[in-house]
C-alpha cells in the first residue's frame, strides 16, 4: 500500500514556532520583532497571503522561526488545510503552531499537516518524509491522529488497483482492521450467500471468478448500536450493460463506500467510543460471463421485494439492498450507508461535496453542522417522496434503473430506503476521488463524510 505514517513530535522535544499571521495583522506582528527580521520580511516582499510562508533568519544566519501567511477569512473559505503543505516544504525538523487559537482552525490545520504526508507508493515513487508537528495542548491530539489514520486507510484501499483489491483483498483488509481492534469478522461466501438469503449480492457477483461475499465486522458490547454499510464493488464493468472504456477508467474506486466505512470504523474503535459497531460490506466484482445477471431479469431481494433489472450497471444499490435489509432486522439505533453510487450526484454537487440523505431532520441538521467543524463538507439532498413512482415499474416492486435520466441520485436513495424500515437511516452518495491535487489531498482516492459522521455521533446516537 502506501508508506503513510502518522506521528507527532514527541512531548518535550524542542520545536521551532510557526507564527500563523493573517495578512491584516502582519504589520502589527512584525513591529514587535527584532529589526533584522523586519528587514527580512520587507526584503522578501512577504504579505502573509494564504498558503505562503517565510523562514526568518537567526542572528547567526541559521534558519529561525517560521511565519505562515493565513490570508483572510474570505480566502480561507476557498481553501481547506491551508497550512498542511508546510509539513513538506519547511526545513526538516519539529515545529509547533503559535497564534492559531481558534480550536476549529487548530484541529483542521493539524489534521492537514498529518495528511500532507500521504502518498500512495505501492508501485512507484518514494514516500515523503514530513516534518513533525507538536500538537497544541488545547488539541485532542488522539482524535486528530485517529482521523488521519482512518483517512490513510481509506485512501490506500481506494488507490489500490482492482487486480490487487478484489473481494478477497477487501475481506483481508477488514480482517486486519478487526484484529487490530479486537473485533470479530465473519464472512458469508459465494454459494452460501443463497443459503443465507442474500440473493442480490450473489446475483451481482456470480459472473466473476472472484467470489462474492458479505463481510460482517462487529465491535463493542455496550452503548447505542451503529451499523455502517459500505458498497464494496471492487470493479464495475457495468455487467452486460457494458460501460465504455472511458467510464471504466476509475472503477477501481467503486468500492470507495466500503473503504470509507472501514476508515470511519478505525476512527471509532481507535477512540474507544461507547457504542456497539457493526460494519457490513457486500464485496463483489460486477463482471461479464455466461452467468451474469441480465437486463430484464427480476430478482427477489432478502427483504422479499422484487426488483426488475433495467440496467446491470446499477448494481451497487442491489448489493446494498440485501445488506441494508440485514442491518434493519437488528433495528440498531442508526444505519448509515456509504457508496460511490451515482454519476448524478457528481453532476449535482461536483467532486468536493458529499451529498447525503437522512430520514430524521434533526440528524440531518446535526450532520450538516458537524461537517463544518471538521472541514469535511457535506450537503443534504431530499428523500423526495413524489419520485417514489419512478422506481415502481409495475412488473416488479422496484426498478433498479428508472428511465428518463432525472433525479438519479434521489431515486437511488429512495430505492435504498425501501430496505430500511425499523431504523433511522442516513445514506451518502460519495465520489471518493480527488481529481487534482489540493492541500493535504493528493490526486487519488479520498475519504468523504467520515469525519463529519464521527463529529456528529454524539448527536446522532446520544453519546
Amino acid at each position: 500500500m502506501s508508506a503513510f505514517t502518522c506521528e507527532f513530535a514527541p512531548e518535550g522535544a524542542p520545536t521551532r514556532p510557526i507564527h500563523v499571521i493573517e495578512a491584516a495583522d502582519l504589520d502589527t506582528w512584525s513591529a514587535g520583532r527584532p529589526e533584522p527580521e523586519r528587514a527580512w520580511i520587507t526584503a522578501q516582499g512577504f504579505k502573509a497571503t494564504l498558503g505562503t510562508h517565510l523562514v526568518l533568519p537567526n542572528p547567526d544566519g541559521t534558519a529561525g522561526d517560521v511565519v505562515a501567511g493565513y490570508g483572510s477569512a474570505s480566502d480561507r473559505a476557498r481553501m481547506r488545510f491551508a497550512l498542511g503543505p508546510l509539513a513538506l516544504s519547511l526545513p526538516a525538523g519539529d515545529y509547533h503552531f503559535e497564534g492559531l487559537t481558534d480550536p476549529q482552525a487548530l484541529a483542521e490545520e493539524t489534521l492537514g499537516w498529518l495528511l500532507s504526508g500521504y502518498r500512495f507508493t505501492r508501485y512507484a515513487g518514494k514516500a515523503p518524509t514530513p516534518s513533525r508537528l507538536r500538537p497544541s495542548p488545547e488539541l485532542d491530539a488522539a482524535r486528530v491522529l485517529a482521523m488521519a489514520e482512518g483517512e490513510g486507510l481509506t485512501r490506500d484501499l481506494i488507490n489500490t488497483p482492482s487486480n490487487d483489491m478484489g473481494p478477497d483483498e477487501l475481506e483481508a483488509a477488514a480482517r486486519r482492521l478487526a484484529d487490530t481492534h479486537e473485533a470479530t469478522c465473519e464472512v458469508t461466501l459465494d454459494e452460501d450467500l443463497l443459503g443465507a438469503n442474500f440473493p442480490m449480492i450473489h446475483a451481482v457477483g456470480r459472473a466473476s471468478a472472484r467470489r462474492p461475499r458479505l463481510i460482517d465486522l462487529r465491535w463493542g458490547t455496550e452503548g447505542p448500536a451503529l451499523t455502517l454499510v459500505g458498497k464494496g464493488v471492487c470493479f464495475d464493468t457495468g455487467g452486460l450493460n457494458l460501460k465504455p472504456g472511458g467510464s471504466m477508467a476509475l472503477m477501481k474506486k467503486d468500492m470507495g463506500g466500503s473503504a470509507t466505512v472501514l476508515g470511519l470504523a478505525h476512527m471509532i474503535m481507535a477512540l474507544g467510543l461507547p457504542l456497539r459497531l457493526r460494519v457490513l460490506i457486500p464485496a463483489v466484482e460486477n463482471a461479464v460471463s455466461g452467468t451474469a445477471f441480465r437486463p430484464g431479469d427480476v430478482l427477489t431481494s432478502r427483504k422479499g421485494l422484487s426488483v426488475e433489472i433495467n440496467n446491470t450497471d446499477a448494481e451497487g444499490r442491489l448489493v446494498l439492498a440485501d445488506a441494508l435489509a440485514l442491518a434493519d432486522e437488528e433495528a440498531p439505533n442508526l444505519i448509515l450507508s456509504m457508496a460511490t453510487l451515482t454519476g448524478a450526484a457528481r453532476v449535482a454537487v461536483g467532486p468536493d461535496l458529499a451529498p447525503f440523505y437522512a430520514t430524521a431532520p434533526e440528524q440531518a441538521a446535526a450532520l450538516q453542522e458537524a461537517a463544518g467543524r471538521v472541514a469535511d463538507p457535506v450537503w443534504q439532498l431530499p428523500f423526495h417522496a413524489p419520485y417514489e413512482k419512478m422506481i415502481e415499474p409495475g412488473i416488479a416492486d422496484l426498478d433498479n434503473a428508472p428511465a428518463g435520466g432525472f433525479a438519479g441520485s434521489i431515486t437511488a436513495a429512495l430505492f435504498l430506503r425501501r430496505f430500511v424500515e425499523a431504523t433511522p437511516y442516513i445514506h451518502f452518495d460519495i465520489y471518493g476521488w480527488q481529481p487534482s491535487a489540493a492541500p493535504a489531498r493528493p490526486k487519488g482516492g479520498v475519504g468523504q463524510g467520515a469525519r463529519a459522521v464521527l463529529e456528529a455521533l454524539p448527536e446522532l446516537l446520544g453519546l
Side-chain angles (χ1 to χ4, degrees):
M1 301 259 177
S2 73
F4 177 55
T5 57
C6 289
E7 64 174 350
F8 288 119
E11 188 174 350
T15 56
R16 291 163 58 188
I18 299 172
H19 303 276
V20 181
I21 307 296
E22 291 197 0
D25 297 333
L26 178 61
D27 289 344
T28 301
W29 178 84
S30 61
R33 304 297 295 182
E35 193 281 329
E37 289 187 0
R38 296 198 302 273
W40 182 250
I41 291 170
T42 301
Q44 295 299 312
F46 182 71
K47 302 297 184 184
T49 54
L50 187 64
T52 64
H53 74 275
L54 182 66
V55 179
L56 300 175
N58 285 322
D60 62 0
T62 60
D65 291 7
V66 177
V67 187
Y70 215 41
S72 66
S74 60
D75 294 331
R76 295 192 295 276
R78 300 180 62 174
M79 180 188 295
R80 287 183 281 159
F81 308 122
L83 302 181
L86 292 173
L88 299 177
S89 59
L90 290 178
D94 294 340
Y95 297 86
H96 68 274
F97 288 133
E98 287 192 4
L100 194 59
T101 57
D102 177 72
Q104 183 174 314
L106 184 62
E108 175 184 335
E109 302 301 351
T110 303
L111 176 63
W113 183 288
L114 294 177
L115 291 179
S116 291
Y118 179 88
R119 294 295 183 276
F120 185 71
T121 56
R122 177 169 178 172
Y123 305 98
K126 181 180 178 182
T129 304
S131 294
R132 296 183 301 184
L133 185 71
R134 187 183 70 203
S136 168
E138 294 80 23
L139 184 73
D140 187 343
R143 187 176 184 86
V144 174
L145 189 64
M147 288 192 291
E149 291 171 340
E151 173 67 15
L153 172 61
T154 295
R155 292 181 183 184
D156 274 351
L157 294 174
I158 297 174
N159 282 328
T160 303
S162 298
N163 59 312
D164 287 328
M165 184 51 64
D168 281 342
E169 291 82 4
L170 187 55
E171 175 188 331
R175 290 190 182 278
R176 285 194 300 271
L177 185 65
D179 289 344
T180 297
H181 296 289
E182 299 182 345
T184 64
C185 187
E186 297 181 355
V187 176
T188 305
L189 185 65
D190 205 10
E191 296 302 312
D192 290 343
L193 289 165
L194 294 175
N197 192 23
F198 299 111
M200 294 206 296
I201 297 175
H202 181 270
V204 172
R206 71 191 183 202
S208 175
R210 308 166 93 178
R211 297 178 294 174
R213 66 206 66 198
L214 178 67
I215 301 165
D216 190 345
L217 182 152
R218 289 181 183 266
W219 174 86
T221 58
E222 297 181 355
L226 169 67
T227 298
L228 305 176
V229 182
K231 176 185 170 184
V233 178
C234 295
F235 192 80
D236 182 18
T237 67
L240 292 177
N241 289 113
L242 194 68
K243 293 178 183 288
S247 297
M248 275 195 233
L250 280 180
M251 283 301 100
K252 70 176 184 179
K253 78 171 185 66
D254 213 22
M255 41 65 70
S258 63
T260 304
V261 298
L262 288 174
L264 174 57
H266 169 79
M267 299 176 198
I268 290 169
M269 294 186 288
L271 293 171
L273 297 187
L275 56 84
R276 290 171 290 142
L277 176 66
R278 188 181 194 186
V279 180
L280 295 171
I281 296 174
V284 302
E285 182 174 53
N286 188 21
V288 178
S289 75
T291 60
F293 73 120
R294 297 162 291 263
D297 284 357
V298 175
L299 305 179
T300 300
S301 67
R302 176 182 183 86
K303 192 175 179 65
L305 295 172
S306 58
V307 180
E308 182 181 13
I309 304 304
N310 279 316
N311 192 319
T312 62
D313 196 18
E315 84 299 328
R317 66 202 69 183
L318 303 177
V319 299
L320 287 170
D322 275 354
L324 288 169
L326 172 66
D328 198 47
E329 291 163 13
E330 208 171 63
N333 296 89
L334 175 65
I335 295 173
L336 188 146
S337 61
M338 287 193 168
T340 52
L341 204 61
T342 71
R346 309 292 77 73
V347 172
V349 299
D352 203 38
L353 282 167
F356 75 95
Y357 301 80
T359 56
E362 64 278 9
Q363 290 186 333
L367 187 54
Q368 192 90 48
E369 183 178 353
R373 297 196 298 267
V374 290
D376 191 13
V378 303
W379 194 262
Q380 185 184 10
L381 291 177
F383 281 122
H384 189 55
Y387 290 165
E388 291 276 7
K389 60 181 178 293
M390 295 169 66
I391 61 171
E392 297 169 347
I395 190 174
D397 295 315
L398 293 170
D399 182 340
N400 84 315
F406 289 122
S409 181
I410 295 175
T411 54
L414 291 171
F415 180 99
L416 296 177
R417 190 176 67 168
R418 293 289 186 98
F419 296 87
V420 181
E421 291 184 339
T423 308
Y425 176 46
I426 295 173
H427 163 62
F428 275 86
D429 190 344
I430 64 174
Y431 188 47
W433 191 260
Q434 182 70 28
S436 58
R441 288 159 291 154
K443 181 179 178 179
V446 70
Q448 292 183 294
R451 296 195 308 277
V453 173
L454 181 73
E455 179 73 8
L457 281 178
E459 291 78 25
L460 298 179
L461 295 177
L463 296 179

